[in-house]
Amino acid sequence: MIENQVKKTLRKTGVNKKEKILVAVSGGKDSAVTAYLLSKFGYNIRGFHIDLKIGDYSEKCKNAVVELCRQLGISLIIYDIKKEMGSGMCYLRSAVQSRKKTEIKNCAICGVIKKWIFNKEARKLKADKIATGHNLDDESQTFLMNLFKGSPELSANIGVITENTSNKKFIPRIKPLFYIAEEDIRKYSRQKKLPVVYEKCPCALDSYRIQVREFTEKLSEKEKVNVVRNFERLREKFRKKESEINYCRICGEPSRNQVCRKCGLMQ
Ligand code: SF4
Ligand SMILES: [Zn+2]
């Protein structure tokens, strides 16, 4: 069931088996299943792991991805955030939080920094696509959060593939598990005995997402699929407004504004 749905989703992304895909492997179940299935279906993949240096948790995650890539027979690139950016994620995010007047959640900061790293490093590695483990629950929550905040246009780039064909510096991102519910992924990863860290990240803190998650947990899988499918239809309306991409004047990465979100947080 999962396998057939993921095959269909991959067809929808248009990715082909010759393209070089960098899979963002975190040590968690979602990215492990993503890498496992892409490898099983014969895609040309490599693993890319950001070692966030969040104490023991990061050590466990790193060991899990090393083992996963060994089992799959794929190469793995480990990006050490302390070496590359001078500090671990805990320090980076508290520095941002103490500088900014408005409250910014841990996961929001971490997410922006990770996205920036993935794009930059994927380009250096000449990857054609980045694959992430985002699942149906993540996506329906994000769509609803943006809707509840009154900014549905923020969902414009959410879908099975996020790309900007006119901007070569932006590496398209695919989400093979877009239509798969989190619980099914958990069961599948256990059934396949994948090396996975099931415990939660100790820095996970996004109270609004937790509230929305409590709400979406009451929805059936069919209802969650309806949420994402309806947003996919609406997305085209917002896309035209969102298509213009510039380059950040600080780091040179693709950005909708003069300064990208990562540099906006870090300066
Ligand atoms: S749970 Fe939040 S803080 Fe932890 S790795 Fe994920 S995005 Fe970063
Ligand atoms: Zn920048």
Side-chain angles (χ1 to χ4, degrees), residues 25 48 52-53 72 97 107 122 181 205-206 208 230:
V25 279
F48 185 87
L52 296 169
K53 299 287 177 196
L72 299 181
Q97 284 161 332
C107 293
L205 196 64
D206 185 339
Y208 192 50
N230 279 315

Side-chain angles (χ1 to χ4, degrees), residues 14-228:
V15 66
N16 72 55
K17 292 190 177 172
K18 286 196 188 124
E19 287 182 288
K20 292 185 211 136
I21 306 175
L22 205 61
V23 186
V25 279
S26 64
K29 62 186 184 326
D30 305 299
S31 57
V33 169
T34 304
Y36 174 82
L37 288 176
L38 285 169
S39 161
K40 179 170 180 170
F41 300 154
Y43 286 89
N44 179 8
I45 64 166
R46 295 172 87 179
F48 185 87
H49 175 69
I50 305 178
D51 183 358
L52 296 169
K53 299 287 177 196
I54 306 178
D56 276 1
Y57 173 75
S58 287
E59 273 306 300
K60 287 185 203 162
C61 289
K62 190 166 71 179
N63 294 339
V65 290
V66 168
E67 180 55 18
L68 175 75
C69 294
R70 190 194 65 76
Q71 287 183 14
L72 299 181
I74 61 169
S75 64
L76 169 68
I77 297 108
I78 297 180
Y79 180 100
D80 182 321
I81 201 163
K82 218 171 204 169
K83 270 194 209 143
E84 304 287 342
M85 299 184 75
S87 319
M89 183 54 77
C90 299
Y91 180 82
L92 291 176
R93 68 150 174 85
S94 22
V96 171
Q97 284 161 332
S98 58
R99 259 195 323 268
K100 301 283 169 189
K101 290 196 181 72
T102 53
E103 194 202 350
I104 312 176
K105 304 281 190 270
N106 294 356
C107 293
I109 299 169
C110 182
V112 166
I113 296 176
K114 286 193 297 191
K115 229 184 225 179
W116 181 86
I117 296 170
F118 285 138
N119 194 64
K120 196 155 123 2
E121 297 302 309
R123 208 175 50 245
K124 272 198 216 159
L125 293 162
K126 300 196 186 326
D128 299 300
K129 301 275 187 300
I130 297 168
T132 65
H134 291 90
N135 61 44
L136 178 63
D137 291 69
D138 300 325
E139 297 304 305
S140 52
Q141 283 156 22
T142 305
F143 287 140
L144 290 173
M145 279 163 71
N146 290 337
L147 184 67
F148 295 158
K149 283 183 196 157
S151 312
E153 70 283 0
L154 294 178
S155 300
N157 282 315
I158 301 176
V160 295
I161 180 161
T162 307
E163 61 185 340
N164 189 300
T165 44
S166 60
N167 192 310
K168 295 283 169 253
K169 277 187 125 182
F170 181 81
I171 308 298
R173 293 191 299 269
I174 59 167
K175 295 173 186 168
L177 306 183
F178 191 85
Y179 297 108
I180 312 289
E182 183 166 15
E183 199 38 44
D184 293 338
I185 297 169
R186 185 174 290 112
K187 280 189 203 145
Y188 187 84
S189 66
R190 290 198 193 275
Q191 187 195 329
K192 298 291 170 191
K193 298 189 172 54
L194 298 179
V196 161
V197 176
Y198 288 99
E199 73 192 69
K200 285 233 175 307
C201 165
C203 288
L205 196 64
D206 185 339
S207 49
Y208 192 50
R209 185 175 283 271
I210 292 168
Q211 280 174 30
V212 176
R213 184 182 299 147
E214 281 166 6
F215 170 74
T216 55
E217 268 166 7
K218 295 188 189 104
L219 301 178
S220 67
E221 189 177 330
K222 190 162 176 275
E223 286 166 326
K224 288 180 206 165
V225 170
N226 284 341
V227 171
V228 296

Side-chain angles (χ1 to χ4, degrees), residues 116 248-253 255 259-264:
W116 181 86
C248 170
R249 64 175 161 76
I250 298 173
C251 69
E253 284 297 297
S255 164
V259 173
C260 75
R261 290 175 72 200
K262 173 256 174 196
C263 292

